[in-house]
Amino acid sequence: MSNITLGSQLPPLTLPAISRTTLALFAGASGDHNPIHIDTDFAKKCGMSDVFAHGMLSMAYLGRLLTNWLPQAQLKKFSAKFVAITQLQDVITCSGEVVELIDNNGESLAKVAIKAENADGQSTLVGEALVSISIT
Amino acid sequence: MLDKTKVGHQFNPFVIDIEKGRLKFFAKAIGETNPIYFDEQAALEQGHRSILAPPTFPFTIELDGPELLPVLTLLDMDIGRVLHGSQEFEYFDNIYAGDQITVAVSIKTIFDKKGGALEFVVLESSFTNQAKTLVAKACNTLVYRN
């Protein structure tokens, strides 16, 4: 895709506020049944003030950011660090920027810095994706 | 402290059927709007052989084994003290509804920081489909609060 250059921004993705329903649905759908995300009593027993979002929920949002931008078959690597807890009612925005163009034996790749952040601008996930851009 | 002699431990591999209904439910839970992730007809029209599993779905396949995170039992970890530190995926091919994926998980390393206040367990996983094609690899770092 010729319009992908250094500094290209991915169309950002802003999600609805995280609710208890969001977490219940994601627990069931993802198979992550850790009660710390869905059972307030359990979360309090573990020293948390309340349930909080699964890190993998926001990583799935980052996945949507990437596949909204390019077909999934072009995604080669995708990683994220969970740097802050996502709380109930947080509004998460995912964004990304092409930070490096790589020529790997004739295959053009782009390295994309991606992040999820809350409405206060605090990063919750910081990650990276490697995408192939030679086949488009 | 977690038992570092378990580094290299390989958990029993298991096979997971990738179900259309599960992919639709996952798409709903993450607010997915692209129909190739929940509508088989749309997926077929765009050249896919069925509903496509989204990029983080291998983690769900891994959790669907006979025991949720068997590493917790092996290392005698309390689930309430476990946090997800980081997650990496590498992709070689798509995963579709109808696939049968064999998951093999092993413990890559165990280390600690802050004088043992935080311990880290790194799990490595491979995902192989019914045609014996390696479709994805994953690396999952769990953080244990002591």
Side-chain angles (χ1 to χ4, degrees):
Chain A
M1 204 181 281
S2 57
N3 59 352
I4 295 178
T5 56
L6 206 58
S8 288
Q9 304 279 326
L10 280 61
L13 177 68
T14 297
L15 287 308
I18 302 283
S19 69
R20 292 175 199 275
T21 303
T22 317
L23 302 186
L25 287 175
F26 189 71
S30 73
D32 185 345
H33 301 164
N34 186 340
I36 208 156
H37 301 299
I38 43 179
D39 181 335
T40 303
D41 301 334
F42 183 87
K44 285 183 174 165
K45 238 181 273 176
C46 296
M48 312 304 292
S49 58
D50 204 338
V51 295
F52 57 93
H54 308 75
M56 290 305 289
L57 172 62
S58 289
M59 192 166 183
Y61 293 152
L62 287 175
R64 285 184 55 198
L65 172 85
L66 294 166
T67 60
N68 283 346
W69 180 55
L70 289 175
Q72 189 175 327
Q74 288 171 243
L75 182 59
K76 302 301 170 192
K77 289 185 182 180
F78 176 23
S79 63
K81 283 190 168 66
F82 305 99
V83 295
I85 282 178
T86 301
Q87 307 287 358
L88 288 168
Q89 299 312 321
D90 275 356
V91 172
I92 296 299
T93 296
C94 298
S95 60
E97 179 182 344
V98 175
V99 292
E100 193 181 345
L101 297 173
I102 301 161
D103 178 25
N104 181 29
N105 297 321
E107 185 188 21
S108 296
L109 299 166
K111 188 186 281 186
V112 187
I114 48 178
K115 67 178 177 190
E117 60 187 3
N118 63 25
D120 296 329
Q122 182 184 23
S123 294
T124 51
L125 272 69
V126 175
E128 203 172 87
L130 193 65
V131 298
S132 171
I133 52 174
S134 47
I135 57 171
T136 50
Chain B
M1 297 290 281
L2 301 175
D3 180 3
K4 291 192 172 72
T5 68
K6 301 295 190 201
V7 170
H9 180 86
Q10 300 186 330
F11 296 94
N12 289 329
F14 53 89
V15 180
I16 297 295
D17 291 319
I18 307 303
E19 299 165 342
K20 285 181 207 170
R22 183 60 175 283
L23 290 173
K24 289 181 190 179
F25 183 23
F26 190 90
K28 177 183 178 180
I30 67 169
E32 182 60 66
T33 55
N34 184 340
I36 63 170
Y37 296 104
F38 52 82
D39 177 342
E40 187 170 43
Q41 193 56 41
L44 294 174
E45 283 167 9
Q46 294 197 35
H48 297 286
R49 57 182 159 81
S50 187
I51 295 174
L52 179 60
T56 62
F57 199 74
F59 185 77
T60 284
I61 300 172
E62 185 175 331
L63 290 179
D64 274 357
E67 186 186 353
L68 179 66
L69 290 171
V71 66
L72 301 183
T73 309
L74 183 78
L75 296 178
D76 193 24
M77 297 164 79
D78 169 10
I79 194 169
R81 290 156 56 193
V82 175
L83 290 172
H84 202 168
S86 65
Q87 180 72 39
E88 298 170 22
F89 297 102
E90 187 172 4
Y91 306 101
F92 309 102
D93 209 340
N94 287 333
I95 298 173
Y96 289 107
D99 283 355
Q100 283 191 311
I101 303 293
T102 301
V103 185
V105 183
S106 62
I107 300 181
K108 188 180 182 189
T109 186
I110 299 172
F111 61 96
D112 60 85
K113 284 184 184 173
K114 298 185 180 173
L118 292 176
E119 293 185 90
F120 298 78
V121 180
V122 182
L123 300 171
E124 251 183 345
S125 318
S126 69
F127 302 86
T128 307
N129 70 14
Q130 62 282 359
K132 309 280 183 220
T133 302
L134 177 68
V135 289
K137 291 199 287 190
C139 196
N140 165 8
T141 302
L142 299 175
V143 183
Y144 199 51
R145 300 181 292 144
N146 282 315

